[in-house]
PDB file of all heavy atoms in Angstrom:
ATOM      1  N   PRO Y 242     101.142  -4.857 107.970  1.00 84.00           N
ATOM      2  CA  PRO Y 242     102.345  -4.416 107.242  1.00 84.00           C
ATOM      3  C   PRO Y 242     102.050  -3.371 106.173  1.00 84.00           C
ATOM      4  O   PRO Y 242     102.885  -2.515 105.891  1.00 84.00           O
ATOM      5  CB  PRO Y 242     102.875  -5.706 106.613  1.00 84.00           C
ATOM      6  CG  PRO Y 242     101.724  -6.654 106.604  1.00 84.00           C
ATOM      7  CD  PRO Y 242     100.866  -6.287 107.770  1.00 84.00           C
ATOM      8  N   LEU Y 243     100.852  -3.430 105.569  1.00 85.00           N
ATOM      9  CA  LEU Y 243     100.508  -2.445 104.534  1.00 85.00           C
ATOM     10  C   LEU Y 243     100.481  -1.038 105.117  1.00 85.00           C
ATOM     11  O   LEU Y 243     101.020  -0.091 104.522  1.00 85.00           O
ATOM     12  CB  LEU Y 243      99.136  -2.797 103.942  1.00 85.00           C
ATOM     13  CG  LEU Y 243      98.774  -2.101 102.619  1.00 85.00           C
ATOM     14  CD1 LEU Y 243      99.704  -2.553 101.510  1.00 85.00           C
ATOM     15  CD2 LEU Y 243      97.321  -2.369 102.254  1.00 85.00           C
ATOM     16  N   LEU Y 244      99.892  -0.909 106.292  1.00 86.00           N
ATOM     17  CA  LEU Y 244      99.837   0.396 106.949  1.00 86.00           C
ATOM     18  C   LEU Y 244     101.233   0.844 107.356  1.00 86.00           C
ATOM     19  O   LEU Y 244     101.584   2.022 107.196  1.00 86.00           O
ATOM     20  CB  LEU Y 244      98.919   0.316 108.171  1.00 86.00           C
ATOM     21  CG  LEU Y 244      98.778   1.591 109.000  1.00 86.00           C
ATOM     22  CD1 LEU Y 244      98.293   2.747 108.135  1.00 86.00           C
ATOM     23  CD2 LEU Y 244      97.825   1.368 110.166  1.00 86.00           C
ATOM     24  N   ALA Y 245     102.029  -0.084 107.857  1.00 88.00           N
ATOM     25  CA  ALA Y 245     103.387   0.275 108.280  1.00 88.00           C
ATOM     26  C   ALA Y 245     104.211   0.767 107.088  1.00 88.00           C
ATOM     27  O   ALA Y 245     104.906   1.789 107.182  1.00 88.00           O
ATOM     28  CB  ALA Y 245     104.060  -0.934 108.933  1.00 88.00           C
ATOM     29  N   VAL Y 246     104.115   0.049 105.952  1.00 91.00           N
ATOM     30  CA  VAL Y 246     104.864   0.468 104.756  1.00 91.00           C
ATOM     31  C   VAL Y 246     104.388   1.835 104.276  1.00 91.00           C
ATOM     32  O   VAL Y 246     105.192   2.724 103.939  1.00 91.00           O
ATOM     33  CB  VAL Y 246     104.702  -0.586 103.630  1.00 91.00           C
ATOM     34  CG1 VAL Y 246     105.279  -0.067 102.316  1.00 91.00           C
ATOM     35  CG2 VAL Y 246     105.390  -1.885 104.026  1.00 91.00           C
ATOM     36  N   GLY Y 247     103.072   2.029 104.246  1.00 91.00           N
ATOM     37  CA  GLY Y 247     102.528   3.317 103.817  1.00 91.00           C
ATOM     38  C   GLY Y 247     102.997   4.456 104.697  1.00 91.00           C
ATOM     39  O   GLY Y 247     103.385   5.518 104.205  1.00 91.00           O
ATOM     40  N   LEU Y 248     102.966   4.236 106.007  1.00 91.00           N
ATOM     41  CA  LEU Y 248     103.400   5.285 106.937  1.00 91.00           C
ATOM     42  C   LEU Y 248     104.889   5.580 106.787  1.00 91.00           C
ATOM     43  O   LEU Y 248     105.308   6.743 106.831  1.00 91.00           O
ATOM     44  CB  LEU Y 248     103.087   4.857 108.374  1.00 91.00           C
ATOM     45  CG  LEU Y 248     101.614   4.926 108.793  1.00 91.00           C
ATOM     46  CD1 LEU Y 248     101.424   4.337 110.182  1.00 91.00           C
ATOM     47  CD2 LEU Y 248     101.102   6.360 108.755  1.00 91.00           C
ATOM     48  N   ILE Y 249     105.687   4.521 106.603  1.00 93.00           N
ATOM     49  CA  ILE Y 249     107.145   4.731 106.457  1.00 93.00           C
ATOM     50  C   ILE Y 249     107.446   5.556 105.208  1.00 93.00           C
ATOM     51  O   ILE Y 249     108.237   6.509 105.242  1.00 93.00           O
ATOM     52  CB  ILE Y 249     107.869   3.366 106.400  1.00 93.00           C
ATOM     53  CG1 ILE Y 249     107.844   2.703 107.783  1.00 93.00           C
ATOM     54  CG2 ILE Y 249     109.310   3.538 105.931  1.00 93.00           C
ATOM     55  CD1 ILE Y 249     108.342   1.277 107.788  1.00 93.00           C
ATOM     56  N   ILE Y 250     106.800   5.214 104.078  1.00 95.00           N
ATOM     57  CA  ILE Y 250     107.049   5.969 102.833  1.00 95.00           C
ATOM     58  C   ILE Y 250     106.588   7.415 102.990  1.00 95.00           C
ATOM     59  O   ILE Y 250     107.290   8.364 102.618  1.00 95.00           O
ATOM     60  CB  ILE Y 250     106.334   5.299 101.647  1.00 95.00           C
ATOM     61  CG1 ILE Y 250     106.888   3.907 101.381  1.00 95.00           C
ATOM     62  CG2 ILE Y 250     106.484   6.155 100.391  1.00 95.00           C
ATOM     63  CD1 ILE Y 250     106.141   3.137 100.307  1.00 95.00           C
ATOM     64  N   PHE Y 251     105.392   7.579 103.564  1.00 94.00           N
ATOM     65  CA  PHE Y 251     104.856   8.934 103.706  1.00 94.00           C
ATOM     66  C   PHE Y 251     105.740   9.775 104.632  1.00 94.00           C
ATOM     67  O   PHE Y 251     106.060  10.928 104.312  1.00 94.00           O
ATOM     68  CB  PHE Y 251     103.427   8.862 104.252  1.00 94.00           C
ATOM     69  CG  PHE Y 251     102.766  10.209 104.373  1.00 94.00           C
ATOM     70  CD1 PHE Y 251     102.288  10.859 103.243  1.00 94.00           C
ATOM     71  CD2 PHE Y 251     102.635  10.837 105.601  1.00 94.00           C
ATOM     72  CE1 PHE Y 251     101.687  12.105 103.345  1.00 94.00           C
ATOM     73  CE2 PHE Y 251     102.042  12.085 105.703  1.00 94.00           C
ATOM     74  CZ  PHE Y 251     101.557  12.716 104.576  1.00 94.00           C
ATOM     75  N   LEU Y 252     106.138   9.202 105.756  1.00 94.00           N
ATOM     76  CA  LEU Y 252     106.987   9.957 106.685  1.00 94.00           C
ATOM     77  C   LEU Y 252     108.360  10.234 106.077  1.00 94.00           C
ATOM     78  O   LEU Y 252     108.965  11.278 106.343  1.00 94.00           O
ATOM     79  CB  LEU Y 252     107.124   9.189 108.005  1.00 94.00           C
ATOM     80  CG  LEU Y 252     105.836   9.090 108.833  1.00 94.00           C
ATOM     81  CD1 LEU Y 252     106.064   8.230 110.073  1.00 94.00           C
ATOM     82  CD2 LEU Y 252     105.342  10.472 109.228  1.00 94.00           C
ATOM     83  N   ALA Y 253     108.858   9.304 105.233  1.00 95.00           N
ATOM     84  CA  ALA Y 253     110.135   9.544 104.551  1.00 95.00           C
ATOM     85  C   ALA Y 253     110.020  10.738 103.604  1.00 95.00           C
ATOM     86  O   ALA Y 253     110.948  11.567 103.508  1.00 95.00           O
ATOM     87  CB  ALA Y 253     110.561   8.291 103.786  1.00 95.00           C
ATOM     88  N   LEU Y 254     108.885  10.853 102.901  1.00 94.00           N
ATOM     89  CA  LEU Y 254     108.681  12.003 102.019  1.00 94.00           C
ATOM     90  C   LEU Y 254     108.561  13.296 102.820  1.00 94.00           C
ATOM     91  O   LEU Y 254     109.077  14.342 102.408  1.00 94.00           O
ATOM     92  CB  LEU Y 254     107.419  11.790 101.175  1.00 94.00           C
ATOM     93  CG  LEU Y 254     107.535  10.734 100.066  1.00 94.00           C
ATOM     94  CD1 LEU Y 254     106.182  10.505  99.404  1.00 94.00           C
ATOM     95  CD2 LEU Y 254     108.557  11.164  99.019  1.00 94.00           C
ATOM     96  N   VAL Y 255     107.877  13.223 103.963  1.00 94.00           N
ATOM     97  CA  VAL Y 255     107.771  14.409 104.820  1.00 94.00           C
ATOM     98  C   VAL Y 255     109.155  14.814 105.321  1.00 94.00           C
ATOM     99  O   VAL Y 255     109.517  15.998 105.326  1.00 94.00           O
ATOM    100  CB  VAL Y 255     106.820  14.129 106.008  1.00 94.00           C
ATOM    101  CG1 VAL Y 255     106.858  15.280 107.013  1.00 94.00           C
ATOM    102  CG2 VAL Y 255     105.394  13.932 105.505  1.00 94.00           C
ATOM    103  N   LEU Y 256     109.956  13.814 105.710  1.00 94.00           N
ATOM    104  CA  LEU Y 256     111.313  14.102 106.187  1.00 94.00           C
ATOM    105  C   LEU Y 256     112.164  14.695 105.067  1.00 94.00           C
ATOM    106  O   LEU Y 256     112.920  15.646 105.266  1.00 94.00           O
ATOM    107  CB  LEU Y 256     111.952  12.805 106.703  1.00 94.00           C
ATOM    108  CG  LEU Y 256     113.342  12.933 107.317  1.00 94.00           C
ATOM    109  CD1 LEU Y 256     113.286  13.787 108.584  1.00 94.00           C
ATOM    110  CD2 LEU Y 256     113.920  11.559 107.646  1.00 94.00           C
ATOM    111  N   PHE Y 257     112.023  14.121 103.852  1.00 93.00           N
ATOM    112  CA  PHE Y 257     112.763  14.626 102.683  1.00 93.00           C
ATOM    113  C   PHE Y 257     112.424  16.093 102.419  1.00 93.00           C
ATOM    114  O   PHE Y 257     113.301  16.916 102.126  1.00 93.00           O
ATOM    115  CB  PHE Y 257     112.403  13.763 101.467  1.00 93.00           C
ATOM    116  CG  PHE Y 257     112.878  14.314 100.153  1.00 93.00           C
ATOM    117  CD1 PHE Y 257     114.212  14.287  99.817  1.00 93.00           C
ATOM    118  CD2 PHE Y 257     111.969  14.866  99.241  1.00 93.00           C
ATOM    119  CE1 PHE Y 257     114.656  14.802  98.604  1.00 93.00           C
ATOM    120  CE2 PHE Y 257     112.398  15.377  98.033  1.00 93.00           C
ATOM    121  CZ  PHE Y 257     113.744  15.347  97.709  1.00 93.00           C
ATOM    122  N   SER Y 258     111.141  16.437 102.536  1.00 92.00           N
ATOM    123  CA  SER Y 258     110.712  17.802 102.208  1.00 92.00           C
ATOM    124  C   SER Y 258     110.989  18.798 103.325  1.00 92.00           C
ATOM    125  O   SER Y 258     110.991  19.998 103.086  1.00 92.00           O
ATOM    126  CB  SER Y 258     109.217  17.815 101.873  1.00 92.00           C
ATOM    127  OG  SER Y 258     108.451  17.439 103.010  1.00 92.00           O
ATOM    128  N   THR Y 259     111.214  18.312 104.543  1.00 91.00           N
ATOM    129  CA  THR Y 259     111.479  19.232 105.653  1.00 91.00           C
ATOM    130  C   THR Y 259     112.983  19.301 105.972  1.00 91.00           C
ATOM    131  O   THR Y 259     113.577  20.371 105.929  1.00 91.00           O
ATOM    132  CB  THR Y 259     110.710  18.801 106.912  1.00 91.00           C
ATOM    133  OG1 THR Y 259     110.959  17.417 107.165  1.00 91.00           O
ATOM    134  CG2 THR Y 259     109.221  18.994 106.722  1.00 91.00           C
ATOM    135  N   ALA Y 260     113.567  18.133 106.235  1.00 90.00           N
ATOM    136  CA  ALA Y 260     115.005  18.124 106.540  1.00 90.00           C
ATOM    137  C   ALA Y 260     115.828  18.530 105.323  1.00 90.00           C
ATOM    138  O   ALA Y 260     116.929  19.084 105.455  1.00 90.00           O
ATOM    139  CB  ALA Y 260     115.422  16.729 107.019  1.00 90.00           C
ATOM    140  N   GLY Y 261     115.310  18.252 104.123  1.00 87.00           N
ATOM    141  CA  GLY Y 261     116.028  18.618 102.900  1.00 87.00           C
ATOM    142  C   GLY Y 261     116.234  20.111 102.763  1.00 87.00           C
ATOM    143  O   GLY Y 261     117.148  20.561 102.056  1.00 87.00           O
ATOM    144  N   SER Y 262     115.383  20.880 103.420  1.00 85.00           N
ATOM    145  CA  SER Y 262     115.505  22.339 103.339  1.00 85.00           C
ATOM    146  C   SER Y 262     116.823  22.838 103.925  1.00 85.00           C
ATOM    147  O   SER Y 262     117.265  23.943 103.605  1.00 85.00           O
ATOM    148  CB  SER Y 262     114.337  22.988 104.094  1.00 85.00           C
ATOM    149  OG  SER Y 262     113.108  22.596 103.527  1.00 85.00           O
ATOM    150  N   PHE Y 263     117.446  22.014 104.781  1.00 88.00           N
ATOM    151  CA  PHE Y 263     118.729  22.408 105.358  1.00 88.00           C
ATOM    152  C   PHE Y 263     119.903  22.098 104.420  1.00 88.00           C
ATOM    153  O   PHE Y 263     121.026  22.512 104.681  1.00 88.00           O
ATOM    154  CB  PHE Y 263     118.941  21.680 106.694  1.00 88.00           C
ATOM    155  CG  PHE Y 263     117.912  22.048 107.732  1.00 88.00           C
ATOM    156  CD1 PHE Y 263     116.865  21.200 108.016  1.00 88.00           C
ATOM    157  CD2 PHE Y 263     117.996  23.259 108.400  1.00 88.00           C
ATOM    158  CE1 PHE Y 263     115.917  21.537 108.972  1.00 88.00           C
ATOM    159  CE2 PHE Y 263     117.043  23.620 109.353  1.00 88.00           C
ATOM    160  CZ  PHE Y 263     115.997  22.756 109.634  1.00 88.00           C
TER     161      PHE Y 263
END
Side-chain angles (χ1 to χ4, degrees):
L243 195 65
L244 178 57
V246 171
L248 286 174
I249 289 171
I250 296 175
F251 183 76
L252 292 176
L254 288 174
V255 172
L256 184 64
F257 169 72
S258 64
T259 51
S262 300
F263 297 102

